[in-house]
């Protein structure tokens, strides 16, 4: 069930194609700051409730990053692993053409789970407008998420938080949950800055090596064998054990609800940076705050992807994108940390207060 409150959602468009047997939904959560920006998720299980929660997260994320976008998200209920490339193309074309009524004036699409740069190319061409979506391949003037903007932002969020804690990155140990787009780049940049990455997980397992893992070697193992568990000379455990690793920092970069309320006493980290979306509930974040574990919330830490989308939208290049991701993430993390300290509230509450204020200043229909 979609929940409505004083911020939205403003519009919901439900789509159905009987011939393809496919349903889709677009949720425009709050458009006070500009056209709704948020990716298309293609999974068998995606539903209106999930899309609306993600659309709301985009409202806050865009407001915090001071981008001229509202919050939106869309979903197509299909298991992309069970269909052919041609079938996927047909579905993406149908979805794009059906949403022409709101694109790009009210919605700018982008990739999310199981939607990559080649899908964005099909989407943009079917729509007939290159501004219909971001995350397109470079030859179409795009800045694909594959450039690593989100992991780069997560890295800067970590550096800023460490500075706030008075810690030297070169003396820290790090565990990274997930070795996909976000996890790989977070590893690359953090190890490049001198941090020791002692543990990494993927869907098949978790590996630990006290002396530190080597980035190039691990990437080769992941590419060659499909999993980090085939890395030599290290301890191996179930992926869920990543939260029990003895390290200073945890970077989350895979599944939702990784840390549950009954896991709190197992954690030894000083700092958790949420590269993934909703790795724990807001209540759990508040308990961690009381325990003195610093959490940098997803709506700030993983905004690199949407900042990159904005740079593509205004037609600027990769160099400008990396500069803007660094500037915005550093400034916002610092701001939230100072506010949280000043007002003695957890970082999520501090971030939400800023986001809500920015939306309310421009919103003509909100009621809170
Ligand atoms: P991805 O598909 O590239 O990688 C996901 C990784 O998680 C893979 O290595 C996979 O093996 C691993 N994984 C799956 N189940 C796991 C488990 N149980 N334990 C440990 N690892 C597991 O995805 P991604 O783009 O890196 O996204 C990761 C998270 O970051 C998601 O929550 C996503 O919504 C969020 N995010 C991504 C971006 C982006 O630009 N890619 C932007 C913002 C937020």
């Amino acid at each position: 069930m979609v929940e409505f409150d004083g911020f939205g959602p403003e519009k919901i468009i439900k789509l159905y194609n009987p011939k393809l047997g496919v349903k889709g939904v677009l949720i425009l959560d709050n458009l006070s700051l500009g056209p709704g920006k948020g990716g298309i998720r293609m999974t068998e299980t995606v539903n209106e409730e999930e899309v609306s929660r993600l659309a709301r997260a985009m409202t806050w994320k865009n407001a915090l990053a001071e981008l001229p976008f509202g919050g939106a998200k869309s979903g197509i209920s299909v298991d992309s692993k069970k269909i052919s490339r041609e079938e996927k193309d047909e579905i993406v074309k149908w979805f794009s053409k059906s949403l022409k009524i709101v694109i790009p004036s009210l919605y700018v699409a982008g990739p999310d789970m199981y939607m990559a740069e080649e899908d964005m190319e099909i989407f943009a061409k079917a729509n007939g407008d290159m501004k219909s979506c971001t995350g397109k391949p470079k030859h179409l003037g795009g800045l694909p998420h594959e450039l690593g903007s989100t992991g780069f932002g997560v890295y800067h969020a970590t550096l800023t938080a460490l500075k706030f804690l008075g810690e030297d990155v070169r003396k820290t140990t790090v565990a990274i949950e997930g070795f996909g787009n976000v996890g790989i780049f977070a590893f690359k940049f953090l190890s490049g800055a001198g941090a020791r990455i002692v543990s990494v997980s993927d869907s098949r397992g978790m590996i630990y090596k006290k002396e530190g893992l080597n980035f190039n070697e691990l990437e080769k193992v992941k590419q060659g064998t499909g999993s980090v568990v085939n890395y030599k000379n290290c301890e191996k455990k179930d992926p869920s054990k990543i939260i029990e690793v003895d390290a200073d920092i945890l970077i989350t970069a895979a599944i939702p609800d990784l840390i549950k309320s009954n896991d709190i006493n197992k954690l030894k980290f000083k700092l958790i940076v949420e590269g993934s979306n909703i790795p724990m509930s807001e209540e759990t974040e508040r308990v961690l705050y009381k325990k003195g574990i610093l959490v940098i919330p997803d709506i700030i830490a993983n905004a690199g992807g949407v900042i990159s989308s904005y740079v593509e939208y205004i037609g600027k290049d990769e160099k400008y994108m990396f500069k803007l991701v660094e500037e915005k993430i550093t400034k916002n993390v610092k701001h939230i940390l100072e506010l949280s300290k000043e007002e003695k509230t957890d970082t999520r509450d501090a971030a939400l207060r800023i986001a809500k204020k920015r939306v309310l200043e421009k919103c003509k229909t909100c009621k809170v």
Side-chain angles (χ1 to χ4, degrees), residues 153-195:
V154 167
Y155 158 66
H156 280 288
T158 311
L159 286 190
T160 310
L162 284 174
K163 209 167 165 194
F164 179 81
L165 292 171
E167 303 269 348
D168 179 352
V169 64
R170 291 165 302 178
K171 291 186 184 138
T172 56
T173 50
V174 184
I176 301 179
E177 178 238 5
F179 200 60
N181 184 283
V182 179
I184 288 175
F185 284 98
F187 189 137
K188 185 176 171 188
F189 292 115
L190 278 167
S191 60

Side-chain angles (χ1 to χ4, degrees), residues 332-357:
N332 288 338
V333 172
K334 197 163 169 270
H335 187 181
I336 276 13
L337 289 172
E338 281 164 359
L339 200 67
S340 152
K341 191 176 170 187
E342 230 172 80
E343 301 192 345
K344 297 189 173 51
T345 52
D346 80 295
T347 46
R348 166 86 47 183
D349 285 342
L352 282 178
R353 219 169 25 255
I354 297 171
K356 285 180 184 175
K357 187 167 169 276

Side-chain angles (χ1 to χ4, degrees), residues 145 150 178-182 201-203 222 239 253-255 275-277 302:
H145 283 194
T150 305
F179 200 60
N181 184 283
V182 179
S201 64
D202 66 15
S203 59
K222 176 81 178 172
I255 58 167
S276 56
N277 286 314
N302 70 30

Side-chain angles (χ1 to χ4, degrees), residues 91 115 121:
I91 294 168
M115 293 292 284
E121 176 166 358

